[in-house]
Every structure is written in C-alpha cells, then in structure tokens.
Amino acid sequence: MRQTWRWFGPRDLVSIDDMMQAGVEGVVSALHHVPTGAVWTGDEVKKRQAEIGRMKDGNPSGLKWEVVESLPVSEDIKKQKGSWREHIANYKTSLRVLRDAGIEVICYNFMPVLDWTRTDLAWRLPNGATCMRFDLNDFAAFDIHILSRPGAVENYPPEVVEDAKRRFEAMDDAARQALARNVVFGLPGAAEHFTLEDVRGHLAEYAAISEERLRSHLIDFLGEVTPVAQDLGLRLCCHPDDPPFSLLGLPRVMSTEADYRKVMEAVDLPANGITLCTGSLGARPDNDLPGMMDRLGDRVHFLHLRNVQRQSGDIMGSFYEAEHLGGGTDMVAMIAAVLREESRRRTAGRSDCSIPFRPDHGQDILDDLGRKAQPGYPAIGRLKGLAELRGIMTALQHPVEGIHP
C-alpha cells in the first residue's frame, strides 16, 4: 500500500514540508484553477510537479505527483448537452498530457451538480475536536426552505419535514446563509463556485435525467475515454457518490457495489476502475467495504481510507466524520482485504501491485483548530489517521507468532 497525501496547491495551508514530515511517499493533486472541460496543458502540469518537488527553502522534496484527483467531468458531459463532445475530446487530450508527464492514476467522479455534500464543516465533538457532518434534518431545511426546491417535501419522511421546518424557523439570516454555504462549499482555488441560482438551474435541467439515463451517459463517457487510457497505460478510477444516496432529487449511479459492477461490466477494460472510498460508501449501512475490496479488488486503482459514524440505520441518514479507527467500517478487515489483493497482483505479475491510498478527511485536532485549513484536510488530524493506518498495515504484514488478527 503506497502512502499518499492530498495537496490542493500553493494555496493549501498544509504545505509540502508538512507532508514530508508526515512521511508520505507520493502526492495526490489536481489543477483546480483550470475550468472544468478545458484542456490541462503540459506547462500547467509541469508547474504543479515543480511545486510538489520543492520545499519552502527551495531544497528538493523528493516527492512526486502520483495521482490526479480529480480530472473533473463537466456537467455538459453528465447531461450530454452543450459542449459535451468537445469536453470529451479535451479530456482525451488531458489524458495524453498526463501520460507524457508520467502520471498514471486519474480519479474522477460522476456526481451531478455537487461533488460532495455536508451541512456542517466544523462540527464540535465532545473532546473539542471538530469534523465534517451531514445532518439529514438540516439538509432538509436547506432543500425545502432555503433552496425552495419544488416537490422537496416528498423526498423526506414526515417527521424529518416537521423538524426541518422547526429548525429553519429557529435560524436567523446568518445561520441560514451559513447552512447554504456549507452545502454548496467548493474546493480551494476551484475555477467554479455555484450560487443557489446556479444550483436551481442545474436541477431544472436534471429533471428529465433518470438514474438509468445518467448511468448511460457515464458509460458513453467511459466508452470514449477508457480505450484511450488503456492504450496510454493509464488507470481511471471513479469515486463513489458522497453521500451515497439521492439528494435534491438528483440521480445517483455510483453508490453501491451493484452500481460499480454495472459500469465495470459495461466498459470491461482494466483501465476502467474504482476509487474505493470507505468513507463515502460507508455512509450506507448496506455497503460491505471489505467484501467489495475482495470481490472488486482487481479494478481498485486508488483508495480513500476514512471512517464515518452513521447516526441511524437508514439508507439516507445523518453521519459525521469519525476517527479513522472509529465509525462503522472495520478498518483492520478493510486493510487485510487490500493486502490480499496486493498479494494476488504480485502473484499475477502486475506492475500495479502497490495500491496508492491516502488518509482521507481527518478531524481538526490540536493546532489544526487554529490553522483553519481546507475542511476535512487538516495536517495533524490526517497525520493521526495515517499513523493509525500504518499501524494496522505493519501489524498485518508482520504478525506475531501465535496471534491471529
């Protein structure tokens, strides 16, 4: 398992020096400032590689950009409207640029409108740490009363609708604005940020797009770009929906093992693969994460290891970002499944027998609380998670005689 770390570029408050001290082996990054649908140029890719390759004092870091997260898929491609064919052509060109730069793993997602959704970006835990949280009732208050989406009340149980109304009425204008900002929060330096009117416009266009149609658009996209990636020796890996259930009445097509199987079978090439995110998929109680790794592992090209604590047994429910060894996913069983897959790959002689992973979404602890880095991406919280994951990896790879994990 290859230890990597997500870096958002020069504006990231967690620096290259920080990740070096964390002991990571490679870097996960993207050109967030390039508009979605545009070509990633060789000059921009080389600039980011150079930034990763230097410490603050100018000395070489020894780190390399190993995984792209993400090369984004435009809304035009997802909807098959407007400039979608041009955007697919540009995507292929960007893949060639990345191949020429020596980067082989490209993560993307196919979530409509919003890449991920939380209602609170700094929810306080009893120990004083903060984390990201999705509260279903708060989200319903946003959907029904702030966004004012037609038909929204039909998507929630009556008790949620009632409580959402009470919560909305208790909020002042500042609280309502803060909730709306949290829901449509973007990545630092991103070229695109949605307003509520933007979201309403996208929702209107998705009204005629069913789950089956969105999946067919994903398969059409992959049918175009995967053969190119295969010929170039690249590995594409689709991130799951986050959270893995429908929001805002939008279709979801990468939320379960069955969803992944349909897409892997439809475009049956090794380059068509999976970003297995234990946090996103773990927000559903019916997803068996170690089992998915065992059954679909040959297509897993990238791993996000994090944990969430579900606060109900419902498919659509509240959850918060737990410690890496807390929450609902058995991380020991998960890493054991990853190591089994890597062993199978070594036996088969595959060159990708060390699967890159990153410690995803840490809690803000200690000095993180004053640094105010990108929500979910603190320095110390992620370092704690990485240390815990390393401990599991070491224990499973070097078991003590007579003790069976």
Side-chain angles (χ1 to χ4, degrees):
M1 297 175 66
R2 187 158 181 82
Q3 303 169 40
T4 66
W5 189 274
R6 192 173 193 182
W7 190 57
F8 292 101
R11 295 178 61 179
D12 196 330
L13 296 180
V14 181
S15 68
I16 296 295
D17 296 43
D18 293 333
M19 71 177 76
M20 287 185 64
Q21 292 168 28
V24 303
E25 298 168 323
V27 178
V28 178
S29 193
L31 304 180
H32 298 296
H33 59 286
V34 176
T36 301
V39 171
W40 284 17
T41 66
D43 287 344
E44 287 291 338
V45 171
K46 290 175 184 176
K47 180 180 178 182
R48 177 55 48 86
Q49 288 177 312
E51 291 164 345
I52 290 170
R54 288 192 305 269
M55 298 175 65
K56 290 179 180 177
D57 62 7
N59 284 321
S61 69
L63 293 173
K64 294 182 178 180
W65 185 5
E66 297 187 7
V67 179
V68 168
E69 185 179 352
S70 297
L71 181 57
V73 180
S74 71
E75 284 297 315
D76 280 5
I77 291 175
K78 294 170 189 173
K79 299 171 188 170
Q80 289 196 358
K81 66 176 285 290
S83 302
W84 72 281
R85 294 186 186 278
E86 177 188 350
H87 289 178
I88 287 180
N90 290 346
Y91 207 96
K92 294 176 184 178
T93 300
S94 296
L95 291 179
R96 296 185 181 97
V97 168
L98 291 168
R99 186 278 311 272
D100 292 343
I103 304 171
E104 297 181 355
V105 180
I106 295 94
C107 174
Y108 68 97
N109 75 67
F110 217 77
M111 285 179 267
V113 188
L114 301 177
D115 280 359
W116 53 271
T117 305
R118 299 293 185 272
T119 55
D120 197 328
L121 306 182
W123 190 59
R124 184 180 171 87
L125 294 161
N127 66 357
T130 64
C131 66
M132 297 199 296
R133 181 170 185 251
F134 176 85
D135 184 289
L136 179 63
N137 294 27
D138 280 349
F139 186 82
F142 164 80
D143 190 10
I144 298 168
H145 300 289
I146 298 176
L147 188 64
S148 300
R149 179 173 64 89
V153 294
E154 300 170 9
N155 295 143
Y156 303 96
E159 63 273 17
V160 172
V161 173
E162 293 174 10
D163 189 56
K165 184 175 186 293
R166 286 193 293 269
R167 294 189 186 193
F168 174 76
E169 291 173 345
M171 296 177 192
D172 59 19
D173 286 343
R176 293 171 184 176
Q177 291 171 11
L179 176 59
R181 282 197 304 271
N182 289 347
V183 171
V184 298
F185 189 82
L187 296 175
E192 296 174 321
H193 294 282
F194 289 156
T195 66
L196 290 184
E197 282 306 309
D198 293 332
V199 173
R200 292 185 183 107
H202 282 299
L203 292 179
E205 292 183 337
Y206 271 104
I209 299 178
S210 65
E211 178 181 308
E212 291 74 19
R213 183 176 170 190
L214 182 64
R215 181 179 292 109
S216 73
H217 290 180
L218 170 56
I219 291 169
D220 289 344
F221 165 71
L222 289 172
E224 289 281 342
V225 302
T226 307
V228 174
Q230 185 76 25
D231 290 344
L232 294 173
L234 306 180
R235 301 188 291 284
L236 300 175
C237 37
C238 189
H239 189 282
D241 303 321
D242 186 8
F245 42 78
S246 178
L247 296 176
L248 303 177
L250 292 165
R252 294 291 218 195
V253 294
M254 296 304 263
S255 294
T256 66
E257 180 174 349
D259 289 337
Y260 272 102
R261 283 192 180 279
K262 290 174 183 176
V263 173
M264 296 304 109
E265 291 169 1
V267 184
D268 193 10
L269 290 171
N272 179 26
I274 299 167
T275 296
L276 204 164
C277 178
T278 58
S280 298
L281 293 166
R284 280 181 70 120
D286 57 345
N287 277 333
D288 168 19
L289 279 303
M292 289 178 69
M293 188 68 215
D294 277 328
R295 293 183 289 272
L296 303 177
D298 66 322
R299 292 287 190 92
V300 172
H301 299 323
F302 186 33
L303 290 156
H304 290 178
L305 297 181
R306 65 178 171 93
N307 229 320
V308 298
Q309 181 62 57
R310 297 186 300 272
Q311 297 181 284
S312 81
D314 301 325
I315 297 296
M316 183 172 69
S318 302
F319 61 87
Y320 66 88
E321 307 274 0
E323 295 176 313
H324 282 73
L325 302 190
T329 295
D330 184 339
M331 201 60 73
V332 175
M334 181 66 204
I335 291 178
V338 175
L339 294 175
R340 286 193 293 272
E341 173 59 27
E342 290 188 333
S343 178
R344 287 190 288 268
R345 294 185 184 192
R346 282 192 295 272
T347 300
R350 286 176 56 164
S351 60
D352 61 342
C353 58
S354 183
I355 303 173
F357 80 93
R358 62 175 180 84
D360 199 12
H361 295 189
Q363 295 180 350
D364 284 70
I365 59 175
L366 305 175
D367 290 352
D368 291 331
L369 294 166
R371 191 187 302 220
K372 303 299 182 184
Q374 166 76 4
Y377 292 92
I380 301 170
R382 280 188 290 169
L383 174 56
K384 177 188 176 186
L386 179 57
E388 293 171 340
L389 297 172
R390 282 180 182 143
I392 297 173
M393 291 161 53
T394 301
L396 292 176
Q397 290 170 323
H398 304 282
V400 176
E401 185 175 356
I403 298 178
H404 303 286

